[in-house]
Amino acid sequence: MSDLPDYVLKNRAHWDAQADQWVAMGERAWLADEPSWGIWSIPETDLQLLPDDMTGMRTIELGCGTGYVSAWMARRGASVVGIDNSERQLATARRLAEEHGVELHLIHGNAEQVPFPDGHFDFAISEYGVAIWADPYKWIPEAHRVLAPGGGLVFLGNHPLVMITQRHDSADPVGTELLYPYFGMHRIDWYEDGDEGTEFNLTISDWVRLFNAVGFEIVAYHELQSPTTGDEVRFYASMDWAHTYPTEQVWVLRKRS
Ligand SMILES: C[S@@+](CC[C@H](N)C(=O)[O-])C[C@H]1O[C@@H](n2cnc3c(N)ncnc32)[C@H](O)[C@@H]1O
């Protein structure tokens, strides 16, 4: 019997099954000269989520998927650990690392429990990895534990507004009706049984309370907007919707010294 939580096992099965569909996107992102973020490809020059020079920094990507964010950090000089819950996603990351000649240390596991000692890393990041697929009451304290004092944590995922305006039982894009309670948001089982995966999100005030309780200071908070209007739908939102409301949030945190 595994001692992994039910949602970690379900998300593992979900991502192992989905992995083939993410190969092409991963390959494109690995080819990019400059990072861009989220579903609207906001350029790194606008958000500045990564230090320009990461020479000698010990970094970890929590839920690295196909590994392109890890590659961006390695190319800036960092030594990079990528941890992911899906062996099949890691297989893509391993192949791309080999093809691009980028050295990554890729490990299979639940990033709510990172197999490294306290204070081991200078920087941790998640783009749609644990940022949305793991329980923040577990992974945020764990990220704090493995960071050195002053270390940075950056994570990007869905804005909480999306969780209350997108049906949890269909693939329809977000609408303008408030479908679910905002207060109390935590675990979201897609299609109720979680067969399409289980995500987590918090109200903005609950995120802030959690950071304070764990020992992170907030350096920046971004609500991402589609730069253009139009009826093109990307993943779960049209450009018009995402030009009017935030689809994604980015938290930039620092471990208090
Ligand atoms: C959308 S991908 C994001 C990663 C990367 N940015 C990408 O697009 O390839 C989500 C990844 O999070 C991973 N994941 C989900 N839950 C996890 C957990 N508890 N620990 C580590 N990885 C997890 C999944 O296996 C999946 O590869």
Side-chain angles (χ1 to χ4, degrees), residues 39 158 161-177 179-180 188 190-191 196 199 231-238 241 247:
I39 59 180
N158 304 311
L161 186 59
V162 167
M163 311 323 290
I164 59 171
T165 52
Q166 182 179 26
R167 294 198 63 84
H168 297 169
D169 59 358
S170 86
D172 291 347
V174 278
T176 50
E177 204 184 329
L179 299 168
Y180 303 97
I188 296 116
W190 293 105
Y191 293 72
E196 288 299 313
E199 287 184 32
D231 52 17
E232 183 194 326
V233 172
R234 290 202 193 161
F235 297 96
Y236 53 81
S238 70
W241 196 98
T247 41

Side-chain angles (χ1 to χ4, degrees), residues 213-227:
V214 166
F216 280 114
E217 68 182 81
I218 298 167
V219 177
Y221 177 64
H222 306 282
E223 295 176 301
L224 302 191
Q225 180 185 29
S226 166

Side-chain angles (χ1 to χ4, degrees), residues 142-153:
E142 183 66 350
H144 183 270
R145 182 187 70 76
V146 295
L147 281 169
L153 170 64

Side-chain angles (χ1 to χ4, degrees), residues 6 17 38-39 45 48 51 57 74-75 98-99 103 110 119 130 152 180 217-218 237 239 244 251-253:
D6 68 309
I39 59 180
T45 41
Q48 300 186 1
M57 286 179 77
R75 287 176 184 144
E98 173 83 27
E99 284 173 15
E103 194 181 325
N110 170 20
V130 288
Y180 303 97
E217 68 182 81
I218 298 167
M239 285 180 173
T244 317
W251 291 99
V252 180
L253 310 175

Side-chain angles (χ1 to χ4, degrees), residues 29 31 57 69 88 108 137 149 151 156 189 200 216 218 222 226:
L31 284 172
M57 286 179 77
V69 175
R88 298 214 54 235
H108 185 223
Y137 292 107
L156 183 158
D189 290 300
F200 294 84
F216 280 114
I218 298 167
H222 306 282
S226 166

